[in-house]
């Protein structure tokens, strides 16, 4: 098996090897934590000598940056690929939520790194990643604004509503485990349903304002 693995590694292109490093490092960061994982650990996991690893990534910081970039690019690219499908804004909002939650299964290490270790990014890397995060946040705000414009979403603070959307999805990896009661897409639909339709029924008394339910 080791011989086969080595032969397979020799056939990898430089891009494929970089991708392998990013994927395996994300798994190590998820399991052991970013600060506790060393370049020696990553080289061992990838199955290369540490000097070879440095050929692809000069530092652990560079690997961290690559994980962040790959994750946010995946989210943005998936959304852009759907724009010509004719889905309405509220349907696109569901797909955005599903993207985040489905990546808990396919890219769990990326998810944890992205949401827990952005402060460890170098100053140089933090700026470009923030621009992409802001762009994605704006995408969700615009979907909510479109829903308001078409009348399927009531007038709301779109920025606050976008933060609420992310708040439901972004930390689900802390407790979600594959193979449970709900698959990730089913979970996305439940969250989307809560977001658009709320938890109340027609038995809930109409309130003049939200302030009426807050304690004094």
């Amino acid at each position: 098996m080791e011989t086969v693995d080595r032969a397979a590694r020799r056939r990898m292109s430089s891009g494929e090897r970089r991708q392998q490093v990013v994927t395996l490092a994300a798994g190590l960061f998820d399991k052991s934590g970013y600060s506790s994982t060393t370049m020696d650990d990553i080289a061992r996991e990838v199955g290369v000598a540490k000097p070879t690893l440095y050929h692809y990534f000069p530092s652990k910081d560079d690997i961290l940056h690559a994980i962040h970039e790959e994750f946010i690019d995946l989210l943005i690219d998936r959304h852009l690929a759907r724009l010509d499908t004719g889905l309405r804004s509220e349907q696109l909002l569901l797909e955005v939520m599903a993207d985040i939650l489905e990546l808990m299964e396919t890219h769990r290490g990326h998810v944890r790194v992205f949401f827990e270790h952005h402060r460890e990014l170098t100053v140089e890397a933090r700026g470009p990643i923030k621009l992409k995060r802001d762009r994605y946040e704006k995408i969700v705000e615009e979907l909510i604004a479109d829903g308001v414009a078409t009348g399927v979403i009531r007038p709301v603070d779109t920025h606050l509503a976008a933060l609420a959307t992310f708040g439901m999805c972004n930390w689900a990896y802390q407790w979600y485990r594959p193979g449970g009661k709900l698959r990730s897409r089913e979970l996305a639909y439940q969250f989307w349903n809560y977001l658009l339709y709320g938890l109340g029924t027609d038995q809930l008394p109409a309130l003049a304002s939200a302030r009426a339910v807050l304690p004094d």
Side-chain angles (χ1 to χ4, degrees):
M1 179 63 71
E2 180 64 23
T3 301
V4 173
D5 290 343
R6 288 180 178 175
R9 288 198 295 269
R10 283 195 296 269
R11 290 194 297 269
M12 283 184 174
S13 67
S14 177
E16 290 171 335
R17 177 54 59 81
R18 281 179 59 88
Q19 180 62 58
Q20 182 191 40
V21 171
V22 168
T23 300
L24 294 177
L28 282 177
F29 296 160
D30 177 37
K31 181 172 63 176
S32 303
Y34 175 73
S35 60
S36 298
T37 302
T38 66
M39 289 292 273
D40 285 304
D41 297 328
I42 297 169
R44 191 178 307 111
E45 184 76 4
V46 176
V48 298
K50 191 159 71 167
T52 302
L53 178 62
Y54 281 118
H55 172 73
Y56 295 102
F57 290 97
S59 70
K60 193 172 70 165
D61 289 339
D62 292 299
I63 298 175
L64 183 68
H65 181 199
I67 294 170
H68 275 79
E69 190 161 49
E70 182 171 277
F71 181 76
I72 193 64
D73 284 347
L74 273 171
L75 292 175
I76 292 173
D77 291 346
R78 286 186 179 195
H79 174 72
L80 295 179
R82 285 192 293 262
L83 292 182
D84 294 328
T85 60
L87 292 175
R88 300 187 304 273
S89 55
E90 74 275 14
Q91 294 171 317
L92 288 170
L93 184 60
L94 169 61
E95 294 305 315
V96 162
M97 297 173 79
D99 285 341
I100 298 171
L101 294 167
E102 286 175 343
L103 286 173
M104 293 188 306
E105 298 191 67
T106 61
H107 293 70
R108 179 178 172 81
H110 288 66
V111 173
R112 180 179 292 276
V113 167
F114 191 80
F115 293 129
E116 292 187 10
H117 297 295
H118 59 280
R119 291 182 179 85
E120 283 90 340
L121 287 167
T122 63
V123 174
E124 295 78 11
R126 202 175 302 160
I129 293 299
K130 185 179 185 305
L131 287 175
K132 291 187 177 185
R133 292 174 81 118
D134 290 347
R135 179 187 177 191
Y136 194 64
E137 185 177 296
K138 190 67 175 176
I139 284 171
V140 175
E141 286 186 35
E142 289 174 351
L143 290 178
I144 295 170
D146 288 344
V148 172
T150 57
V152 298
I153 296 176
R154 63 181 175 82
V156 294
D157 181 321
T158 56
H159 178 65
L160 189 59
L163 293 179
T165 302
F166 290 129
M168 282 194 286
C169 298
N170 289 0
W171 291 99
Y173 76 91
Q174 293 275 10
W175 50 264
Y176 177 80
R177 294 294 179 269
K181 182 179 179 181
L182 295 176
R183 296 174 55 197
S184 56
R185 174 162 282 272
E186 293 169 330
L187 179 61
Y189 183 81
Q190 293 289 345
F191 281 176
W192 179 82
N193 189 61
Y194 298 154
L195 183 69
L196 264 65
Y197 299 103
L199 297 175
T201 70
D202 56 5
Q203 302 301 310
L204 186 68
L207 299 172
S209 70
R211 189 176 300 277
V213 299
L214 296 178
D216 294 332

